[in-house]
Amino acid sequence: MDGTVLVADDDRTIRTVLTQALTRAGCKVHATASLVTLMRWVEEGKGDLVISDVMMPDGNGLEALPRIAQERPGLPVIVISAQNTIMTAIQAAEADAYDYLPKPFDLPDLMKRAARALDQKRKAQVVSKTAEPRAEGGDLPLVGRTAGMQALYRLVARVMNADLPVLILGESGTGKSLIARAIHDFSDRRTLPFVVAQAADLQGADGPSTLLAKAKGGSLVFDEVGDYDEETQGRIVRMLDALPDSAPRIMATTQVDLGALMEAGKFRQDLFYRIGGVTLAVPSLRERVEDIPLLAEHFLARAERDGLGVRRFSSEAIALVRAYAWPGNVRQLENTIRRLVVTSSEEEITRSEVEFVLGNQPAIEPLRQIGEGEKLSASIARHLRRYFDLHGGNLPAPGLYDRILREMEAPLIEIALDATGGNQARCADLLGINRNTLRKKITDLDIQVTRRRKLM
């Protein structure tokens, strides 16, 4: 790499690591903990690339991006932030950041992005938008620092103003409708209507025209489109083929595999190709276990703002929350935490209280089983493919083989223990391993086996 990089971060360790890595790569580096100093360097004409944190002691790095673009058109800025929400990714895209990375970031990945920014020397686009005042996103439960969620955030930021239909896939309760709403609220159509359509809204001769009149060039979302019957699907196709110039943006959500429905003759191919311009896959909580404590803290804070009381989880309680399968995903997690806030007798929520609430959860079954009847290997392959796809054009972090095996091994043993009532001899026999091997794995993986109950 060749060039001068301006690094702005209030964390001394991050400044040191980036300075050393960029210097070894052949760059000159100016590092500071002050946004004022960074802006002075920019105004003086220093730097070929900026790497900046968001929350600085003397200002907000995102808010400085328009000033940087005005002072130095074409100067690329890579934003790094510990605020791992969809808001940060969207705001970075709106402010025309060259790239965005959540903390903790992968250093080799950041170095590759910095090299591309320096090599391309792309011209910064000066965006002059009269944006409406925005909420800070405290009530938006699209929170996550896992690679899958961060890749989803970046993709949402890239497509929010693209003139393409969007198909949003995900299990019930993962936040598909929130993704659709975020795309609308942060797009150029934000001042226009946001309309969610059910199958019943398309009935009758005037159904489609009434929906278009309500949307008025804003956004029209077909909710759970995989559940629509053939006649309703046909009405949508005819409507999409005759859209006026002031047509709304089309989005659709589904928790079922539309490809499988097409093969079974239950979903029209022409409709699939009309609504599938961009596909966004929202991970289930089982696919982003590391985000569960972060979401739990978010919902505790929300409950406190709603006047339900101040609560915190004990270490044993949050471990159990993290280990639970959450078949109802984020929606079930939020409802459970609100119930715990109301029913807990003390400020600290205990493990026994979590066990009681989870043990009384109603069975939640998806309306349809995605991939029903397929072989286990095919199901695993589908989920692994989705994991790769969620990284966009980037590869997952190194060490994937051991990480995947480790993440599969723990739930396999936990489920087998549940299925055998906690009997380790039966569990070892079921798994086909030695009982001593099972005991060692239970210890190494920190699997709780006392007072086990079937939670699903």
Side-chain angles (χ1 to χ4, degrees):
M1 290 193 292
D2 183 27
T4 300
V5 182
L6 308 180
V7 175
D9 199 297
D10 61 346
D11 189 317
R12 181 189 296 272
T13 300
I14 290 180
R15 294 199 306 273
T16 301
V17 168
L18 289 179
T19 298
Q20 292 175 348
L22 290 164
T23 301
R24 285 196 300 268
C27 295
K28 296 179 181 179
V29 181
H30 298 286
T32 179
S34 168
L35 194 59
V36 172
T37 302
L38 172 65
M39 291 308 303
R40 176 169 56 80
W41 288 341
V42 171
E43 292 166 2
E44 292 173 354
K46 294 180 179 178
D48 302 300
L49 168 66
V50 174
I51 300 176
S52 176
D53 192 9
V54 173
M55 300 307 296
M56 302 283 285
D58 54 353
N60 185 299
L62 286 175
E63 294 175 357
L65 289 181
R67 288 178 54 199
I68 294 175
Q70 183 176 7
E71 291 287 337
R72 299 277 302 282
L75 177 63
V77 180
I78 296 177
V79 174
I80 54 177
S81 174
Q83 294 182 311
N84 303 303
T85 72
I86 193 171
M87 289 289 297
T88 310
I90 288 175
Q91 289 171 344
E94 285 189 326
D96 200 37
Y98 175 79
D99 213 335
Y100 158 73
L101 278 174
K103 292 180 179 178
F105 54 81
D106 180 64
L107 183 59
D109 183 29
L110 175 58
M111 294 296 290
K112 291 178 183 178
R113 295 170 191 248
R116 286 199 297 268
L118 289 170
D119 290 341
Q120 293 174 7
K121 297 186 182 299
R122 76 181 189 112
K123 295 181 179 180
Q125 299 175 348
V126 180
V127 180
S128 56
K129 294 183 179 178
T130 56
E132 295 183 337
R134 301 288 180 83
E136 290 301 319
D139 291 329
L140 194 66
L142 293 171
V143 177
R145 62 169 58 97
T146 53
M149 288 302 292
Q150 290 298 322
L152 176 61
Y153 295 164
R154 287 193 291 270
L155 187 53
V156 167
R158 287 199 297 269
V159 307
M160 62 185 176
N161 281 317
D163 191 19
L164 290 169
V166 176
L167 178 61
I168 306 171
L169 312 176
E171 295 178 8
S172 177
T174 52
K176 299 187 295 297
S177 60
L178 293 172
I179 292 291
R181 184 83 215 195
I183 291 173
H184 173 83
D185 286 349
F186 298 98
S187 72
D188 293 338
R189 303 174 188 257
R190 65 178 71 93
T191 60
L192 299 172
F194 177 81
V195 177
V196 178
Q198 311 291 336
D201 298 321
L202 289 153
Q203 301 304 311
D206 297 333
S209 59
T210 300
L211 281 177
L212 290 176
K214 287 182 180 179
K216 295 180 182 177
S219 297
L220 177 57
V221 182
F222 296 111
D223 187 43
E224 295 301 339
V225 69
D227 294 335
Y228 293 6
D229 59 32
E230 186 175 354
E231 183 180 353
T232 304
Q233 294 174 32
R235 286 197 181 97
I236 298 176
V237 170
R238 291 189 291 275
M239 182 185 77
L240 297 182
D241 285 344
L243 287 176
D245 293 337
S246 58
R249 180 176 197 165
I250 302 299
M251 291 186 274
T253 67
T254 180
Q255 63 174 312
V256 298
D257 187 344
L258 297 185
L261 289 183
M262 284 194 300
E263 291 181 4
K266 297 180 180 179
F267 197 84
R268 295 176 59 130
Q269 287 190 0
D270 51 359
L271 176 56
F272 177 79
Y273 294 128
R274 282 165 174 78
I275 64 176
V278 177
T279 300
L280 304 178
V282 186
S284 66
L285 274 185
R286 296 185 303 281
E287 296 171 290
R288 53 182 188 115
V289 174
E290 293 83 356
D291 285 336
I292 291 177
L294 186 68
L295 284 162
E297 290 300 318
H298 174 87
F299 292 134
L300 287 177
R302 173 182 285 184
E304 180 180 349
R305 290 197 303 272
D306 292 343
L308 298 181
V310 178
R311 295 288 186 272
R312 67 177 186 276
F313 283 102
S314 70
S315 57
E316 295 82 5
I318 195 63
L320 182 57
V321 170
R322 190 180 187 277
Y324 184 55
W326 300 110
N329 290 294
V330 180
R331 186 182 297 118
Q332 184 192 11
L333 174 64
E334 179 179 16
N335 291 339
T336 300
I337 288 177
R338 291 181 75 87
R339 179 178 172 184
L340 284 165
V341 169
V342 172
T343 60
S344 295
S345 57
E346 302 293 339
E347 182 174 322
E348 184 176 82
I349 299 172
T350 65
R351 179 185 176 92
S352 61
E353 289 172 320
V354 174
E355 286 180 334
F356 177 79
V357 170
L358 292 182
N360 285 280
Q361 288 281 332
I364 298 179
E365 295 292 338
L367 295 179
R368 293 181 182 167
Q369 296 292 333
I370 297 178
E372 185 176 1
E374 68 182 351
K375 292 183 178 179
L376 178 61
S377 60
S379 177
I380 293 173
R382 176 164 48 80
H383 287 289
L384 288 175
R385 175 54 58 190
R386 176 183 292 182
Y387 178 74
F388 273 81
D389 290 343
L390 286 171
H391 286 77
N394 302 313
L395 291 174
L400 180 62
Y401 182 82
D402 288 338
R403 188 163 66 251
I404 291 294
L405 291 184
R406 187 167 58 250
E407 292 189 7
M408 289 178 60
E409 188 173 36
L412 172 61
I413 293 174
E414 288 181 337
I415 292 170
L417 281 167
D418 279 333
T420 56
N423 186 311
Q424 295 185 29
R426 292 180 61 198
C427 182
D429 183 61
L430 174 66
L431 294 172
I433 60 177
N434 183 276
R435 186 175 179 180
N436 290 332
T437 301
L438 175 63
R439 287 175 174 171
K440 184 176 186 305
K441 289 184 178 296
I442 289 173
T443 301
D444 292 344
L445 296 171
D446 194 25
I447 296 173
Q448 301 297 318
V449 295
T450 59
R451 293 197 301 166
R452 295 190 66 85
R453 67 175 65 188
K454 199 167 183 178
L455 297 181
M456 289 186 63

